[in-house]
Amino acid sequence: MNQPLPSGAAAGRTGSGDLPELMRKVAHGDKQAFSTLYDALAPLVFGLTLKVVRDRAQSEEVAQEVMIDLWRQAARYRPEAGSVTAWAATIAHRRAVDRVRSAQAATDREQARAAREHTTAFDEVAEQVETRLESEQVRRCLRGLTELQHQAVTLAYYGGLTYREVAETLRTPLPTIKTRMRDGLIRLRDCMGVTT
């Protein structure tokens, strides 16, 4: 099959009066008639699709599809309903609009999927630096506690012990441990700059 021509060069080779006769022959499977019809209509079809689709490669595809439609639907053409060029232009316009809508729908689906899957970029390095800085600040603040406060807080928060278990481990009365931990946590809070 011939490629669509980018200009109207071939349209003048076949008079518009010959087109209905060509369509009749194409409807009966005449390949030579279709070749002549193709040469006559391809520039019009391509130009129309290019105006709608605005992408040369896609316009060429759509124009090829339209020409195949003309071959397949030639028997449906009725001269009393309009000219061959009008019929071809109508098919071309519909196909081009369908292509644009299909491309837009695909773009919309892709954007919707991307929006659903979008996650904020995770910066591991920044998080590691922040964690190290916080850890260093906690160690520095722990050094500012009394020995009993430091031990009690460390056993409770890093060892996972209860107040009673801390008291038993340090062999210190439970009320003393509770008081030291409360005072130690207040000092840690103030050192860390945490506001309540």
Side-chain angles (χ1 to χ4, degrees):
M1 217 177 268
N2 298 330
Q3 291 295 316
L5 300 173
S7 68
R13 291 189 207 145
T14 305
S16 60
D18 297 342
L19 293 179
E21 179 59 23
L22 284 172
M23 284 300 291
R24 188 186 64 70
K25 289 179 179 179
V26 170
H28 289 95
D30 185 334
K31 292 179 183 177
Q32 183 58 43
F34 179 69
S35 179
T36 305
L37 181 75
Y38 188 104
D39 289 342
L41 295 178
L44 167 79
V45 169
F46 176 73
L48 221 160
T49 58
L50 185 59
K51 284 181 182 175
V52 175
V53 177
R54 296 180 181 222
D55 176 85
R56 187 170 184 85
Q58 286 195 37
S59 295
E60 289 174 358
E61 287 178 21
V62 172
Q64 289 291 339
E65 292 168 7
V66 170
M67 297 310 294
I68 291 169
D69 281 350
L70 292 177
W71 169 260
R72 290 179 180 160
Q73 297 178 29
R76 293 176 58 196
Y77 170 70
R78 299 289 174 255
E80 61 276 3
S83 70
V84 173
T85 55
W87 189 57
T90 300
I91 294 172
H93 186 263
R94 286 180 184 157
R95 280 278 188 161
V97 168
D98 287 347
R99 176 65 63 102
V100 170
R101 286 179 179 159
S102 175
Q104 185 60 48
T107 300
D108 292 347
R109 281 191 304 274
E110 187 64 30
Q111 287 175 345
R113 186 180 62 76
R116 284 191 306 271
E117 294 175 356
H118 177 71
T119 56
T120 305
F122 182 73
D123 189 350
E124 288 184 43
V125 175
E127 186 170 305
Q128 288 174 357
V129 168
E130 188 175 322
T131 301
R132 285 182 184 156
L133 289 173
E134 287 174 357
S135 296
E136 182 54 40
Q137 186 179 10
V138 169
R139 283 192 289 275
R140 184 178 47 76
C141 291
L142 280 171
R143 286 193 296 266
L145 301 179
T146 66
E147 184 61 29
L148 186 57
Q149 288 172 337
H150 184 274
Q151 289 175 337
V153 169
T154 302
L155 288 171
Y157 287 94
Y158 294 108
L161 302 180
T162 64
Y163 285 132
R164 185 172 305 284
E165 291 169 334
V166 171
E168 291 170 2
T169 302
L170 296 178
R171 295 190 176 104
T172 307
L174 182 60
T176 303
I177 290 299
K178 287 183 178 181
T179 302
R180 295 302 178 259
M181 283 187 66
R182 186 196 71 219
D183 293 345
L185 290 174
I186 290 171
R187 287 177 75 177
L188 277 175
R189 180 194 69 201
D190 293 343
C191 179
M192 298 284 296
V194 177
T195 57
T196 55

